[in-house]
Amino acid sequence: ALSTRIIPSAPAATAIAKGGSTVSSPTWPIVFKRVVMDQFVFAPIFLSSFLTGLWALEGDLPAHIATKLKQNAPEMVVAGWSLWIPAMCVNFSFVPLKYQVLYGNMVALAWNVYLSYKSASVRTMPQAQE
């Protein structure tokens, strides 16, 4: 499976890691800004893109993909927040700048295991046949 943290977001992750400050220990307002941008702007877009691409490659029809996204993406976004918000707070606060992308990729490995499991087990509510 394609990684949401490697393919579409590596440039964004690098820009976020470098943005705002180049000091080794940024202030909490800078950390807060980075985490909010990462989790409330980029994460839902990347998650939806990842799932859409994955299910399209598996042969799902666009209408079926849209239904699966509506039913399952909110739960996955919240699960992502429970992992990524603490991880990114640690990353942006304590991890040296040169290791921030590496740290994010290590967390992404666990996240991708969850996404693979969850996307494989997603079922949609039965639709009425016409």
Side-chain angles (χ1 to χ4, degrees):
L2 297 175
S3 169
T4 58
R5 294 289 172 188
I6 294 173
I7 305 269
S9 66
T14 302
I16 290 170
K18 290 182 179 177
S21 175
T22 57
V23 296
S24 60
S25 125
T27 63
W28 278 105
I30 292 171
V31 171
F32 179 77
K33 178 182 78 172
R34 290 177 181 178
V35 171
V36 166
M37 288 296 295
D38 184 58
Q39 291 305 302
F40 295 96
V41 176
F42 297 118
I45 294 168
F46 294 144
L47 178 64
S48 298
S49 299
F50 171 78
L51 293 173
T52 298
L54 177 66
W55 292 330
L57 290 171
E58 290 176 349
D60 284 344
L61 298 174
H64 193 229
I65 292 171
T67 301
K68 287 167 87 171
L69 279 173
K70 287 177 189 171
Q71 291 176 354
N72 298 287
E75 175 188 344
M76 291 183 187
V77 168
V78 171
W81 290 339
S82 69
L83 172 69
W84 284 105
I85 289 174
M88 290 298 99
C89 285
V90 167
N91 191 24
F92 296 140
S93 297
F94 305 112
V95 177
L97 186 61
K98 66 182 181 179
Y99 298 119
Q100 286 183 356
V101 174
L102 175 62
Y103 173 84
N105 286 335
M106 290 174 22
V107 175
L109 177 63
W111 176 241
N112 287 330
V113 168
Y114 169 79
L115 276 184
S116 296
Y117 167 76
K118 196 67 177 166
S119 66
S121 65
V122 162
R123 302 286 180 256
T124 58
M125 297 296 288
Q127 302 292 323
Q129 299 292 334
E130 294 182 22

